[in-house]
Amino acid sequence: MKALDGVRILDFTHVQSGPTCTQLLAWFGADVIKVERPGVGDATRKQLVDVPGADSLYFTMLNHNKRSITLNTKTKEGKEVLERLVKSCDVLVENFAPGALDRMGFGWERIQELNPRMIMASVKGFGPGKYEDCKVYENVAQCAGGSASTTGFLDGPPVVTGAQIGDSGTGLHLALGIVAALFQREKSGRGQKVLAPMQDGVLNLCRVKLRDQQRLAAGPLKEYSQYGEGIPFGEATPRAGNDSGGGQPGRILKCKGWESDPNAYTYFITQAAAWEKVCDVIGEPEWKTKPGYATPPERLDKLNEIFERIEQWTMTKTKFEVMDICNPLDIPVGPILSMKEIMEDEGLQATGTIVKVDHPERGAYYTVGCPIKMSDSPVEVERSPLLGEHTEEILRDVLGYTEEELQAVAGSGAIGDLPRAAE
Ligand SMILES: CC(C)(COP(=O)(O)OP(=O)(O)OC[C@H]1O[C@@H](n2cnc3c(N)ncnc32)[C@H](O)[C@@H]1OP(=O)(O)O)[C@@H](O)C(=O)NCCC(=O)NCCS
């Protein structure tokens, strides 16, 4: 048994944000039916292709454990199929451009008419307001949500992060909203609209930066390196380089091999509680009591000197040796792991966070499994569906189409060519 057994999702999502959400729901046990345009499908199937003729990793890694039906929802017959799907599903998830679902004839009012228990969940770039009609992609959301202005170094331009906080981050937010709405429906008997705007999702993840914005009114932000360097603060939360956000000084420091390995670095935090151990490890025991070094406030204007000294030590060790030495002493450090190292990590493979999946067109590939572990709802990662692989199966088994009806809808062109057979 799985947590969302019995929940059926009409998955109208594409690209990354929506598919992240529905993939999680599938991993929790929901039956996710992905509706795609005949002959075309989710655009990511053919984006960043590495194996000619096969679905891309972009697509396969975001659409595990789903079924695919091809359906042209702009034809009369396609709309009829969609209506039956709406009546048979619990949740409709979509991340079309604003207004697309209304133009298709399936706005919120129509959905409620067809199925008052339906939860209609959407990702949009912006919430209601002056930008609500904009199409939005990852980096636009990172910029509009406050992440870019607070990421990077003080003397450089704003920087976007590799973590897909706009797309995947918003998909996560939406999944939580859907599960909460399903829970509420148990009592109310009604569906509801769930909206996760990407700007809001990014801002939620940048919460501490809005905290700092307001702290500026009370004076400079002392934990930012620029304070110790005597650089005045402006009106807005500045970029903080690799400073740690929690008030404990931290930096990324070179480790042995940095000259040739771009990831031979460690994160190193000089947490107040571990200061004496840091001094011993780096061979500066007198800093424990030396005036100007002994307490955190005294050290603020010496952080560059202190981290340069720590780096002299970390450069004599690999990032893993730094971890091995510092961890038992409760000095917080973290190796900068490359994607190659993460993919090959035996621990992550053992927990199912890195998973090898077989695919009939592309062969075996690695993916990220479910990052949320539940003791009573196990996850088996299954390959993504081929385009339209389950069209016939869904029409017959979910919607109860008779042979005659099936032939009629197939003949209308609404479901495209006859479904592809999986190997
Ligand atoms: C991501 C995004 C920018 C892509 O834009 P896009 O490629 O132009 O795609 P759209 O969502 O506008 O959909 C294009 C059209 O395909 C149509 N379409 C989609 N599936 C269909 C189907 N099965 N049958 C018929 N038509 C279909 C839509 O109805 C829409 O038609 P319309 O423009 O006439 O209304 C846009 O969808 C968006 O802003 N989404 C919300 C924010 C978001 O999720 N962004 C991050 C994506 S990771």
Side-chain angles (χ1 to χ4, degrees):
M1 185 186 167
K2 299 198 177 156
L4 294 184
D5 270 350
V7 174
R8 184 164 283 149
I9 312 280
L10 199 174
D11 181 7
F12 242 147
T13 69
H14 63 155
V15 202
Q16 185 182 165
S17 63
T20 299
C21 167
T22 50
Q23 178 168 257
L24 276 172
L25 301 175
W27 281 336
F28 292 154
D31 177 15
V32 176
I33 298 175
K34 184 168 173 110
V35 180
E36 300 183 79
R37 250 179 302 191
V40 185
D42 187 327
T44 58
R45 284 187 186 268
K46 296 293 165 252
Q47 278 174 12
L48 308 176
V49 167
D50 58 327
V51 178
D55 285 332
S56 71
L57 287 168
Y58 195 3
F59 177 82
T60 56
M61 291 178 68
L62 285 159
N63 290 285
H64 295 105
N65 298 64
K66 304 181 185 177
R67 300 200 272 175
S68 166
I69 175 173
T70 44
L71 190 64
N72 184 345
T73 58
K74 288 190 172 162
T75 66
K76 178 176 155 291
E77 295 79 6
K79 284 186 200 300
E80 282 166 14
V81 176
L82 186 55
E83 282 187 11
R84 285 168 77 158
L85 274 169
V86 169
K87 287 178 185 161
S88 316
C89 290
D90 300 280
V91 187
L92 185 162
V93 191
E94 62 96 18
N95 67 313
F96 289 129
L101 218 49
D102 292 304
R103 287 192 289 278
M104 209 183 269
F106 287 86
W108 174 230
E109 285 180 8
R110 178 75 184 123
I111 296 287
Q112 276 181 301
E113 271 170 27
L114 292 169
N115 181 356
R117 286 175 60 81
M118 175 66 92
I119 289 156
M120 184 168 140
S122 306
V123 169
K124 294 289 167 259
F126 293 92
K130 60 181 171 177
Y131 298 126
E132 66 186 342
D133 292 330
C134 296
K135 290 187 174 183
V136 169
Y137 290 96
E138 173 68 49
N139 288 346
V140 176
Q142 287 198 25
C143 295
S147 175
S149 74
T150 53
T151 304
F153 286 89
L154 196 57
D155 56 359
V159 172
V160 295
T161 165
Q164 304 288 282
I165 58 177
D167 281 344
S168 285
T170 307
L172 277 165
H173 283 90
L174 191 70
L176 180 59
I178 290 169
V179 173
L182 281 167
F183 193 64
Q184 186 174 355
R185 196 183 70 172
E186 291 294 306
K187 286 168 260 171
S188 71
R190 287 192 311 276
Q192 62 182 300
K193 269 202 289 187
V194 180
L195 172 67
M198 294 167 75
Q199 181 186 38
D200 305 39
V202 170
L203 176 59
N204 185 36
L205 298 175
C206 290
R207 183 170 291 263
V208 298
K209 299 298 179 181
L210 188 61
R211 172 201 70 192
D212 292 351
Q213 178 62 44
Q214 296 170 88
R215 289 173 58 227
L216 276 172
L221 308 172
K222 293 185 177 171
E223 76 282 13
Y224 282 56
S225 289
Q226 78 177 79
Y227 173 74
E229 291 165 354
I231 302 170
F233 284 77
E235 287 184 343
T237 307
R239 293 188 265 291
N242 288 320
D243 290 344
S244 84
Q248 302 285 349
R251 298 272 173 93
I252 287 184
L253 305 177
K254 292 170 182 159
C255 292
K256 198 172 179 175
W258 67 274
E259 299 90 337
S260 55
D261 177 355
N263 295 305
Y265 288 83
T266 185
Y267 200 87
F268 198 107
I269 303 176
T270 57
Q271 199 178 32
W275 176 243
E276 299 205 344
K277 287 169 186 163
V278 172
C279 296
D280 286 335
V281 161
I282 63 171
E284 298 287 352
E286 69 284 2
W287 279 3
K288 289 191 258 186
T289 49
K290 188 175 172 181
Y293 292 79
T295 66
E298 289 176 290
R299 293 196 285 273
L300 287 177
D301 63 353
K302 300 177 192 66
L303 291 181
N304 288 346
E305 178 202 343
I306 288 169
F307 279 113
E308 275 165 27
R309 177 65 191 92
I310 298 173
E311 191 171 57
Q312 283 173 14
W313 177 77
T314 57
M315 282 165 68
T316 67
K317 312 276 178 244
T318 69
K319 60 190 177 188
F320 298 111
E321 287 167 347
V322 171
M323 183 94 166
D324 290 344
I325 294 168
C326 292
N327 256 2
L329 300 173
D330 286 336
I331 301 171
V333 294
I336 307 303
L337 295 182
S338 70
M339 273 300 151
K340 182 171 187 300
E341 287 164 331
I342 288 171
M343 191 171 82
E344 293 166 355
D345 188 297
E346 287 176 8
L348 290 173
Q349 291 185 12
T351 60
T353 295
I354 295 287
V355 190
K356 204 172 197 175
V357 183
D358 217 356
H359 188 279
E361 289 179 341
R362 56 173 307 117
Y365 64 95
Y366 283 102
T367 194
V368 184
C370 186
I372 302 162
K373 316 294 183 192
M374 293 169 73
S375 65
D376 213 11
S377 185
V379 174
E380 298 100 37
V381 178
E382 289 165 13
R383 70 165 175 84
S384 58
L386 303 178
L387 179 59
E389 182 176 340
H390 306 97
T391 303
E392 193 175 333
E393 169 185 311
I394 290 162
L395 289 172
R396 281 186 200 281
D397 302 347
V398 177
L399 304 183
Y401 271 62
T402 61
E403 186 59 36
E404 202 181 333
E405 284 178 312
L406 193 67
Q407 291 311 323
V409 72
S412 77
I415 56 173
D417 294 334
L418 280 176
R420 296 158 71 186
E423 284 167 23

